[in-house]
């Protein structure tokens, strides 16, 4: 593949926020970008990195260095969507939405927004507000108790303020869970239609929009499904997703095909 041959001339490092290799990390946006890279057959290495040195001040970000021109400074790019857009523009990735009609492009964009701009905040609330101590102790497990207490409190207050301003923090617990459940159940129905359309009983992947290949919303959706299945500080969402057969099948098939080297959730 042309994109793969071009990327072989590059040293690509993905900064994921955690040091562990061979496992998924917490961020759904990291998994989103990793799936995008693997779909394109682009090889990369992983490092922890630091949000304070990231171009956008958050994880993930990526460093691209030329093997043929080692004296040239590496290019650093932040934000999973902007990184993918750079690779597409550079001819290193295919545009997953290139063959979509205008209606499907809009649906794909809406699906991404549903998870990244709506469910994201319901997940934040469930973990950092409703199950704060579990979330704090998992995220800061390597920190001394006093640091965990101080930093955890700072994060809590910051998230309370963010969620109140964004709106999710103004709902009752039951209301927030209801909105989150609606998203997951709707996804299960959507994927069920796609699986029927594929008419495959094997391990072949099926995709959100029901096409022969993935679109941009699939990399985002898989990131969030995988995220919920491995996070113990979102017990209600985890139990719900585990009960949704088609969503689990969707994630399992993608994992088996594209992440066989990673420990499963």
């Amino acid at each position: 593949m042309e994109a793969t041959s071009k990327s072989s001339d590059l040293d690509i490092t993905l900064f994921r926020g955690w040091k562990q290799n061979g496992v998924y990390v917490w961020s759904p946006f990291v998994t989103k970008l990793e799936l995008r890279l693997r779909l394109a057959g682009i090889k990369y290495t992983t490092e922890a990195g630091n949000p304070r040195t990231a171009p956008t001040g958050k994880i993930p970000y990526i460093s691209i260095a030329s093997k043929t021109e080692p004296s040239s400074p590496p290019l650093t790019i932040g934000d999973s969507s902007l990184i993918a857009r750079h690779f597409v523009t550079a001819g290193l990735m295919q545009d997953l939405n290139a063959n979509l009609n205008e209606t499907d492009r809009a649906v794909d964009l809406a699906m991404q927004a549903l998870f990244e701009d709506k469910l994201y905040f319901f997940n934040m609330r469930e973990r950092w507000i409703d199950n704060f101590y579990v979330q704090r102790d998992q995220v800061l497990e390597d920190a001394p108790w006093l640091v965990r207490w101080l930093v955890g409190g700072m994060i809590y207050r910051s998230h309370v303020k963010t969620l109140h301003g964004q709106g999710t923090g103004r709902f009752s617990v039951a209301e927030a869970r209801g909105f989150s459940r609606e998203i997951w159940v709707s996804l299960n129905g959507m994927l069920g239609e796609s699986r029927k359309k594929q008419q495959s009983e094997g391990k072949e992947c099926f995709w959100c929009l029901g096409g022969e290949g993935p679109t941009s919303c699939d990399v985002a959706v898989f990131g969030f499904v995988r995220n919920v299945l491995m996070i113990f500080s979102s017990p209600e969402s985890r139990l719900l997703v585990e009960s949704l057969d088609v969503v689990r099948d969707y994630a399992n098939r993608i994992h088996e095909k594209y992440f066989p080297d990673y420990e499963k959730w």
Side-chain angles (χ1 to χ4, degrees):
M1 215 177 132
E2 184 179 356
T4 305
S5 63
K6 289 183 179 179
S7 65
S8 65
D9 296 331
L10 304 172
D11 274 325
I12 299 172
T13 304
L14 172 60
F15 298 95
R16 309 193 305 165
W18 282 266
K19 297 178 181 179
Q20 298 95 327
N21 294 314
V23 296
Y24 294 106
V25 298
W26 279 40
S27 169
F29 299 99
V30 169
T31 302
K32 167 189 173 181
L33 182 55
E34 289 200 71
L35 178 55
R36 195 70 175 84
L37 292 167
R38 290 176 181 229
L39 285 168
I42 296 176
K43 294 183 178 180
Y44 60 94
T45 57
T46 61
E47 298 288 347
N50 191 320
R52 288 177 291 183
T53 60
T56 56
K58 59 183 182 180
I59 298 293
Y61 62 102
I62 206 162
S63 173
I64 307 172
S66 173
K67 294 179 181 178
T68 58
E69 299 179 19
S71 60
S72 299
L75 174 66
T76 305
I77 310 170
D79 186 86
S80 58
S81 294
L82 293 179
I83 293 167
R85 185 177 301 175
H86 170 82
F87 279 117
V88 170
T89 302
L92 300 174
M93 282 181 179
Q94 292 181 332
D95 180 357
L96 295 180
N97 294 357
N99 297 322
L100 296 183
N101 60 39
E102 294 303 318
T103 299
D104 285 342
R105 283 179 181 270
V107 172
D108 184 90
L109 189 61
M111 283 292 293
Q112 292 181 67
L114 179 64
F115 280 81
E116 297 182 348
D117 300 325
K118 186 171 184 178
L119 184 65
Y120 173 82
F121 291 103
F122 288 116
N123 287 348
M124 179 191 292
R125 175 190 170 133
E126 183 178 2
R127 294 164 190 177
W128 281 106
I129 310 302
D130 300 339
N131 296 282
F132 168 72
Y133 292 105
V134 177
Q135 175 76 358
R136 181 200 66 181
D137 291 346
Q138 286 185 330
V139 172
L140 303 174
E141 62 181 350
D142 294 330
W145 181 86
L146 182 58
V147 173
R148 192 181 307 179
W149 179 74
L150 288 171
V151 175
M154 292 171 60
I155 296 173
Y156 176 83
R157 289 188 293 273
S158 173
H159 285 345
V160 167
K161 183 178 180 180
T162 296
L163 290 170
H164 185 78
Q166 184 268 341
T168 300
R170 300 170 190 258
F171 298 123
S172 68
V173 173
E175 289 167 341
R177 289 178 181 175
F179 285 125
S180 180
R181 178 182 179 82
E182 183 179 28
I183 293 171
W184 286 117
V185 172
S186 297
L187 174 66
N188 194 64
M190 183 182 196
L191 291 174
E193 293 298 319
S194 297
R195 188 170 66 175
K196 289 178 185 177
K197 186 183 297 185
Q198 185 195 59
Q199 295 181 340
S200 172
E201 297 181 358
K203 293 186 178 181
E204 288 301 314
C205 297
F206 54 95
W207 309 103
C208 287
L209 300 191
E212 294 182 359
T215 60
S216 295
C217 69
D218 284 292
V219 294
V221 169
F222 175 72
F224 275 81
V225 175
R226 188 279 316 155
N227 175 261
V228 164
L229 287 172
M230 70 175 286
I231 301 298
F232 290 98
S233 54
S234 53
E236 296 86 2
S237 292
R238 184 176 184 178
L239 285 173
L240 173 60
V241 173
E242 287 177 342
S243 74
L244 299 174
D245 175 70
V246 187
V247 174
R248 285 191 294 107
D249 189 25
Y250 169 81
N252 287 337
R253 295 191 193 200
I254 293 175
H255 169 83
E256 295 298 334
K257 183 169 184 177
Y258 295 104
F259 294 89
D261 54 320
Y262 275 18
E263 292 181 14
K264 203 170 184 180
W265 42 84

